[in-house]
CSV table of all heavy atoms in Angstrom, one decimal:
chain,number,residue,atom,x,y,z
A,125,PRO,N,62.6,-117.2,-3.0
A,125,PRO,CA,62.8,-118.6,-2.9
A,125,PRO,C,63.3,-119.0,-1.5
A,125,PRO,O,64.1,-118.2,-0.9
A,125,PRO,CB,63.7,-119.0,-4.0
A,125,PRO,CG,64.5,-117.8,-4.3
A,125,PRO,CD,63.5,-116.6,-4.0
A,126,PHE,N,62.9,-120.1,-1.0
A,126,PHE,CA,63.4,-120.6,0.3
A,126,PHE,C,64.9,-120.9,0.2
A,126,PHE,O,65.3,-121.6,-0.7
A,126,PHE,CB,62.6,-121.8,0.8
A,126,PHE,CG,63.2,-122.4,2.0
A,126,PHE,CD1,63.0,-121.8,3.2
A,126,PHE,CD2,63.9,-123.6,2.0
A,126,PHE,CE1,63.5,-122.3,4.4
A,126,PHE,CE2,64.4,-124.1,3.1
A,126,PHE,CZ,64.2,-123.5,4.3
A,127,VAL,N,65.7,-120.3,1.1
A,127,VAL,CA,67.1,-120.5,1.1
A,127,VAL,C,67.4,-121.1,2.5
A,127,VAL,O,67.3,-120.4,3.5
A,127,VAL,CB,67.9,-119.3,0.9
A,127,VAL,CG1,69.4,-119.6,1.0
A,127,VAL,CG2,67.6,-118.7,-0.5
A,128,PRO,N,67.7,-122.4,2.6
A,128,PRO,CA,67.9,-122.9,3.9
A,128,PRO,C,69.1,-122.4,4.6
A,128,PRO,O,70.1,-122.0,3.9
A,128,PRO,CB,68.1,-124.4,3.6
A,128,PRO,CG,68.5,-124.5,2.2
A,128,PRO,CD,67.9,-123.3,1.5
A,129,GLN,N,69.0,-122.2,5.9
A,129,GLN,CA,70.1,-121.7,6.7
A,129,GLN,C,70.6,-122.8,7.7
A,129,GLN,O,69.7,-123.4,8.3
A,129,GLN,CB,69.7,-120.4,7.4
A,129,GLN,CG,69.3,-119.3,6.5
A,129,GLN,CD,70.4,-118.8,5.7
A,129,GLN,OE1,71.5,-118.6,6.1
A,129,GLN,NE2,70.1,-118.5,4.4
A,130,PRO,N,71.9,-122.9,7.8
A,130,PRO,CA,72.3,-123.9,8.9
A,130,PRO,C,71.9,-123.4,10.2
A,130,PRO,O,71.7,-122.2,10.5
A,130,PRO,CB,73.8,-123.9,8.7
A,130,PRO,CG,74.2,-122.9,7.7
A,130,PRO,CD,72.9,-122.3,7.2
A,131,PRO,N,71.6,-124.3,11.2
A,131,PRO,CA,71.2,-123.8,12.5
A,131,PRO,C,72.3,-123.0,13.1
A,131,PRO,O,73.5,-123.1,12.8
A,131,PRO,CB,70.9,-125.1,13.2
A,131,PRO,CG,71.2,-126.2,12.3
A,131,PRO,CD,71.6,-125.7,11.0
A,132,ALA,N,71.9,-122.2,14.1
A,132,ALA,CA,72.8,-121.3,14.8
A,132,ALA,C,74.0,-122.1,15.4
A,132,ALA,O,75.1,-121.6,15.5
A,132,ALA,CB,72.1,-120.5,15.8
A,133,GLY,N,73.7,-123.2,16.0
A,133,GLY,CA,74.8,-124.0,16.7
A,133,GLY,C,75.8,-124.6,15.7
A,133,GLY,O,76.9,-125.0,16.1
A,134,GLY,N,75.5,-124.7,14.4
A,134,GLY,CA,76.4,-125.3,13.4
A,134,GLY,C,76.4,-126.8,13.6
A,134,GLY,O,75.8,-127.4,14.4
A,135,GLY,N,77.2,-127.5,12.7
A,135,GLY,CA,77.4,-128.9,12.8
A,135,GLY,C,76.3,-129.7,12.1
A,135,GLY,O,76.4,-131.0,12.1
A,136,THR,N,75.2,-129.2,11.6
A,136,THR,CA,74.2,-129.9,11.0
A,136,THR,C,73.9,-129.3,9.6
A,136,THR,O,74.4,-128.2,9.3
A,136,THR,CB,72.9,-130.0,11.8
A,136,THR,OG1,72.5,-128.6,12.0
A,136,THR,CG2,73.1,-130.6,13.2
A,137,ASP,N,73.2,-130.1,8.8
A,137,ASP,CA,72.8,-129.6,7.5
A,137,ASP,C,71.7,-128.5,7.7
A,137,ASP,O,71.1,-128.4,8.7
A,137,ASP,CB,72.2,-130.8,6.7
A,137,ASP,CG,73.3,-131.8,6.3
A,137,ASP,OD1,74.5,-131.5,6.5
A,137,ASP,OD2,72.9,-132.9,5.9
A,138,PRO,N,71.5,-127.7,6.6
A,138,PRO,CA,70.4,-126.8,6.7
A,138,PRO,C,69.0,-127.5,6.9
A,138,PRO,O,68.9,-128.6,6.4
A,138,PRO,CB,70.4,-126.0,5.4
A,138,PRO,CG,71.7,-126.4,4.8
A,138,PRO,CD,72.2,-127.7,5.4
A,139,GLN,N,68.1,-126.9,7.5
A,139,GLN,CA,66.8,-127.5,7.7
A,139,GLN,C,65.9,-127.0,6.6
A,139,GLN,O,65.7,-125.8,6.4
A,139,GLN,CB,66.2,-127.1,9.1
A,139,GLN,CG,64.9,-127.8,9.3
A,139,GLN,CD,64.4,-127.6,10.7
A,139,GLN,OE1,65.0,-126.9,11.5
A,139,GLN,NE2,63.2,-128.2,11.0
A,140,PHE,N,65.3,-128.0,5.9
A,140,PHE,CA,64.4,-127.7,4.8
A,140,PHE,C,62.9,-127.9,5.3
A,140,PHE,O,62.7,-128.6,6.3
A,140,PHE,CB,64.7,-128.6,3.6
A,140,PHE,CG,66.0,-128.3,3.0
A,140,PHE,CD1,67.2,-129.0,3.4
A,140,PHE,CD2,66.1,-127.4,2.0
A,140,PHE,CE1,68.4,-128.7,2.9
A,140,PHE,CE2,67.4,-127.1,1.4
A,140,PHE,CZ,68.5,-127.8,1.8
A,141,GLY,N,62.0,-127.4,4.5
A,141,GLY,CA,60.6,-127.7,4.8
A,141,GLY,C,60.1,-129.1,4.7
A,141,GLY,O,59.3,-129.6,5.4
A,142,THR,N,60.7,-129.8,3.7
A,142,THR,CA,60.4,-131.2,3.4
A,142,THR,C,61.6,-132.0,3.1
A,142,THR,O,62.6,-131.5,2.7
A,142,THR,CB,59.4,-131.4,2.3
A,142,THR,OG1,60.0,-130.9,1.1
A,142,THR,CG2,58.1,-130.5,2.5
A,143,CYS,N,61.5,-133.3,3.2
A,143,CYS,CA,62.6,-134.2,2.7
A,143,CYS,C,62.8,-134.0,1.2
A,143,CYS,O,64.0,-134.1,0.8
A,143,CYS,CB,62.3,-135.7,3.0
A,143,CYS,SG,62.7,-136.2,4.7
A,144,LYS,N,61.8,-133.8,0.5
A,144,LYS,CA,61.9,-133.7,-1.0
A,144,LYS,C,62.9,-132.5,-1.3
A,144,LYS,O,63.8,-132.6,-2.1
A,144,LYS,CB,60.6,-133.5,-1.6
A,144,LYS,CG,60.6,-133.4,-3.1
A,144,LYS,CD,59.2,-133.2,-3.7
A,144,LYS,CE,59.2,-133.1,-5.2
A,144,LYS,NZ,57.9,-133.0,-5.8
A,145,GLU,N,62.7,-131.4,-0.5
A,145,GLU,CA,63.6,-130.2,-0.7
A,145,GLU,C,65.0,-130.6,-0.3
A,145,GLU,O,66.0,-130.1,-0.9
A,145,GLU,CB,63.1,-129.0,0.1
A,145,GLU,CG,61.8,-128.4,-0.4
A,145,GLU,CD,61.3,-127.3,0.5
A,145,GLU,OE1,62.1,-126.4,0.9
A,145,GLU,OE2,60.1,-127.4,0.9
A,146,ALA,N,65.2,-131.3,0.9
A,146,ALA,CA,66.5,-131.6,1.3
A,146,ALA,C,67.2,-132.5,0.3
A,146,ALA,O,68.4,-132.2,0.0
A,146,ALA,CB,66.4,-132.4,2.7
A,147,ILE,N,66.5,-133.5,-0.2
A,147,ILE,CA,67.1,-134.4,-1.2
A,147,ILE,C,67.5,-133.6,-2.5
A,147,ILE,O,68.6,-133.8,-3.1
A,147,ILE,CB,66.2,-135.5,-1.6
A,147,ILE,CG1,66.0,-136.4,-0.3
A,147,ILE,CG2,66.6,-136.3,-2.8
A,147,ILE,CD1,64.9,-137.4,-0.4
A,148,ALA,N,66.6,-132.7,-2.9
A,148,ALA,CA,66.8,-131.9,-4.1
A,148,ALA,C,68.0,-131.0,-4.0
A,148,ALA,O,68.7,-130.7,-5.0
A,148,ALA,CB,65.6,-131.0,-4.5
A,149,ASN,N,68.4,-130.7,-2.8
A,149,ASN,CA,69.6,-129.8,-2.5
A,149,ASN,C,70.8,-130.7,-2.1
A,149,ASN,O,71.8,-130.1,-1.7
A,149,ASN,CB,69.3,-128.8,-1.4
A,149,ASN,CG,68.4,-127.7,-1.9
A,149,ASN,OD1,69.0,-126.8,-2.6
A,149,ASN,ND2,67.1,-127.7,-1.7
A,150,GLY,N,70.7,-132.0,-2.3
A,150,GLY,CA,71.9,-132.9,-2.1
A,150,GLY,C,72.1,-133.3,-0.6
A,150,GLY,O,73.1,-133.8,-0.3
A,151,TYR,N,71.0,-133.2,0.2
A,151,TYR,CA,71.2,-133.7,1.6
A,151,TYR,C,70.4,-134.9,1.9
A,151,TYR,O,69.5,-135.3,1.1
A,151,TYR,CB,70.7,-132.5,2.6
A,151,TYR,CG,71.6,-131.3,2.5
A,151,TYR,CD1,71.2,-130.2,1.7
A,151,TYR,CD2,72.8,-131.3,3.2
A,151,TYR,CE1,72.0,-129.1,1.6
A,151,TYR,CE2,73.6,-130.1,3.1
A,151,TYR,CZ,73.2,-129.1,2.3
A,151,TYR,OH,74.0,-128.0,2.2
A,152,GLY,N,70.7,-135.6,3.0
A,152,GLY,CA,70.0,-136.8,3.4
A,152,GLY,C,70.7,-138.0,2.9
A,152,GLY,O,71.7,-137.9,2.1
A,153,PRO,N,70.4,-139.2,3.2
A,153,PRO,CA,69.4,-139.5,4.2
A,153,PRO,C,69.9,-139.3,5.6
A,153,PRO,O,71.1,-139.2,5.8
A,153,PRO,CB,69.1,-141.0,4.0
A,153,PRO,CG,70.4,-141.5,3.4
A,153,PRO,CD,71.0,-140.4,2.6
A,154,TYR,N,69.0,-139.3,6.6
A,154,TYR,CA,69.3,-139.1,8.0
A,154,TYR,C,68.8,-140.3,8.8
A,154,TYR,O,67.7,-140.8,8.6
A,154,TYR,CB,68.7,-137.8,8.6
A,154,TYR,CG,69.1,-136.6,7.7
A,154,TYR,CD1,68.1,-135.9,7.0
A,154,TYR,CD2,70.4,-136.1,7.7
A,154,TYR,CE1,68.4,-134.8,6.3
A,154,TYR,CE2,70.7,-135.0,7.0
A,154,TYR,CZ,69.8,-134.3,6.3
A,154,TYR,OH,70.1,-133.2,5.5
A,155,VAL,N,69.7,-140.8,9.7
A,155,VAL,CA,69.4,-142.0,10.5
A,155,VAL,C,69.1,-141.6,11.9
A,155,VAL,O,69.9,-140.9,12.5
A,155,VAL,CB,70.6,-143.0,10.4
A,155,VAL,CG1,70.3,-144.3,11.2
A,155,VAL,CG2,70.9,-143.4,8.9
A,156,VAL,N,68.1,-142.2,12.5
A,156,VAL,CA,67.7,-142.0,13.9
A,156,VAL,C,68.9,-142.4,14.8
A,156,VAL,O,69.6,-143.4,14.5
A,156,VAL,CB,66.5,-142.7,14.3
A,156,VAL,CG1,66.6,-144.3,14.3
A,156,VAL,CG2,66.0,-142.3,15.7
A,157,GLY,N,69.2,-141.6,15.8
A,157,GLY,CA,70.3,-141.9,16.7
A,157,GLY,C,71.7,-141.5,16.2
A,157,GLY,O,72.6,-141.5,16.9
A,158,VAL,N,71.8,-141.2,14.9
A,158,VAL,CA,73.1,-140.8,14.3
A,158,VAL,C,73.1,-139.4,13.9
A,158,VAL,O,74.0,-138.6,14.2
A,158,VAL,CB,73.4,-141.7,13.1
A,158,VAL,CG1,74.7,-141.3,12.4
A,158,VAL,CG2,73.4,-143.2,13.5
A,159,ASP,N,72.0,-139.0,13.1
A,159,ASP,CA,72.0,-137.7,12.6
A,159,ASP,C,70.9,-136.8,13.3
A,159,ASP,O,69.7,-137.2,13.4
A,159,ASP,CB,71.6,-137.7,11.1
A,159,ASP,CG,72.6,-138.5,10.3
A,159,ASP,OD1,73.8,-138.2,10.3
A,159,ASP,OD2,72.2,-139.5,9.6
A,160,PRO,N,71.3,-135.7,13.9
A,160,PRO,CA,70.3,-134.8,14.6
A,160,PRO,C,69.2,-134.3,13.6
A,160,PRO,O,68.1,-134.1,14.0
A,160,PRO,CB,71.1,-133.7,15.1
A,160,PRO,CG,72.5,-133.7,14.5
A,160,PRO,CD,72.7,-135.1,13.9
Side-chain angles (χ1 to χ4, degrees):
F126 174 73
V127 178
Q129 299 295 318
T136 59
D137 293 346
Q139 185 173 0
F140 294 89
T142 64
C143 274
K144 184 177 180 180
E145 291 176 50
I147 294 167
N149 283 282
Y151 295 98
Y154 304 113
V155 178
V156 68
V158 176
D159 300 304

